[in-house]
Amino acid sequence: SNTAIIAFLADLHIANATATKIKKAIAGYNKISASVKTDLLLFGGDYLENNTTTTKEQALTLYSYLRDILSYCNDKAPVAVLKGNHDDNTMHTDYINGLIDFETFWAEFGNIDDDRTVRNAGNIEDCYGYYDIPNQKVRVFYVNTVDLPQKLIEATNSVNYKGQWDTGISIEQLQFIADNLKFDTSGWHVMVCSL
């Protein structure tokens, strides 16, 4: 009764519609969550099993498959969606035809993010935020380590920051975390999760 249960499913790396590995992981989660109440389910990013030939269209098709598969989680735990280093598809070096920007990523996965999570309203698609487990006095921050000011440069078919190789946390994200470390009552604990 005095334990916070947080499930963290990351590095799903969907390669095709079959997604046997992912279905097994979710079946395992469902089996556990049937007997143990989960306080928070984090989908931790790295959703794509991509390579240098994965076009944006192919990546978005894989996202569509994955979004359907994630709905197989059969409990009612709040869900938070993070972004990983594979998820902008910058392994595909034809960036004009491959890049998935933050807004497109959020459009694909934001609908499964629970409205009980707290996001930076001005940067909701940047995939960081927190969730409170009030009965345990635990605030769980989830941090985006590929929170970079990414720009597609069409003239040279290049990108200034590539999630696959570049990492960073913006000052806005750090400020959001700092601003939300204040509590009205004592006894709270903070947990930080990232991929």
Side-chain angles (χ1 to χ4, degrees), residues 119-157:
R119 300 283 185 167
N120 183 345
N123 299 322
I124 194 167
E125 70 281 351
D126 290 355
C127 291
Y128 61 83
Y130 72 86
Y131 176 76
D132 284 341
I133 306 172
N135 59 324
Q136 302 302 331
K137 289 193 167 183
V138 174
R139 178 163 289 173
V140 181
F141 284 96
Y142 30 95
V143 177
N144 179 0
T145 57
V146 289
D147 183 19
L148 300 164
Q150 190 176 67
K151 299 274 188 271
L152 173 64
I153 306 155
E154 290 192 23
T156 57
N157 196 9

Side-chain angles (χ1 to χ4, degrees), residues 35-52:
S35 58
V36 178
K37 179 188 175 293
T38 305
D39 293 296
L40 177 64
L41 171 56
L42 292 172
F43 289 121
D46 279 3
Y47 303 105
L48 291 176
E49 182 65 40
N50 48 357
N51 58 49
T52 57

Side-chain angles (χ1 to χ4, degrees), residues 7-191:
F8 191 74
L9 298 176
D11 291 290
L12 297 174
H13 290 293
I14 188 166
N16 54 51
T18 307
T20 306
K21 177 187 86 166
I22 300 167
K23 290 176 181 174
K24 283 182 182 177
I26 290 175
Y29 171 76
N30 286 341
K31 187 171 185 178
I32 293 167
S33 68
S35 58
V36 178
K37 179 188 175 293
T38 305
D39 293 296
L40 177 64
L41 171 56
L42 292 172
F43 289 121
D46 279 3
Y47 303 105
L48 291 176
E49 182 65 40
N50 48 357
N51 58 49
T52 57
T53 64
T54 307
T55 65
K56 182 176 183 175
E57 180 179 287
Q58 291 168 325
L60 292 176
T61 298
L62 291 172
Y63 277 157
S64 175
Y65 296 150
L66 182 61
R67 199 175 53 249
D68 291 342
I69 293 167
L70 296 182
S71 71
Y72 297 161
C73 291
N74 64 7
D75 70 340
K76 301 299 180 203
V79 173
V81 176
L82 287 77
K83 187 175 182 195
N85 66 315
H86 280 255
D87 299 328
D88 65 0
N89 199 39
T90 50
M91 287 190 77
H92 184 65
T93 53
D94 175 4
Y95 301 109
I96 291 172
N97 296 305
L99 181 68
I100 296 174
D101 60 24
F102 278 34
E103 291 80 10
T104 303
F105 175 84
W106 185 253
E108 289 293 317
F109 286 102
N111 65 326
I112 63 172
D113 195 74
D114 196 286
D115 62 5
R116 291 170 286 181
T117 66
V118 178
R119 300 283 185 167
N120 183 345
N123 299 322
I124 194 167
E125 70 281 351
D126 290 355
C127 291
Y128 61 83
Y130 72 86
Y131 176 76
D132 284 341
I133 306 172
N135 59 324
Q136 302 302 331
K137 289 193 167 183
V138 174
R139 178 163 289 173
V140 181
F141 284 96
Y142 30 95
V143 177
N144 179 0
T145 57
V146 289
D147 183 19
L148 300 164
Q150 190 176 67
K151 299 274 188 271
L152 173 64
I153 306 155
E154 290 192 23
T156 57
N157 196 9
S158 60
V159 177
N160 61 340
Y161 294 108
K162 303 166 189 75
Q164 184 60 38
W165 296 278
D166 301 318
T167 59
I169 298 173
S170 69
I171 193 71
E172 290 84 7
Q173 184 174 185
L174 293 174
Q175 189 62 57
F176 174 83
I177 293 168
D179 290 344
N180 290 288
L181 287 173
K182 302 167 190 160
F183 297 94
D184 295 332
T185 59
S186 63
W188 279 81
H189 301 276
V190 172
M191 182 177 191

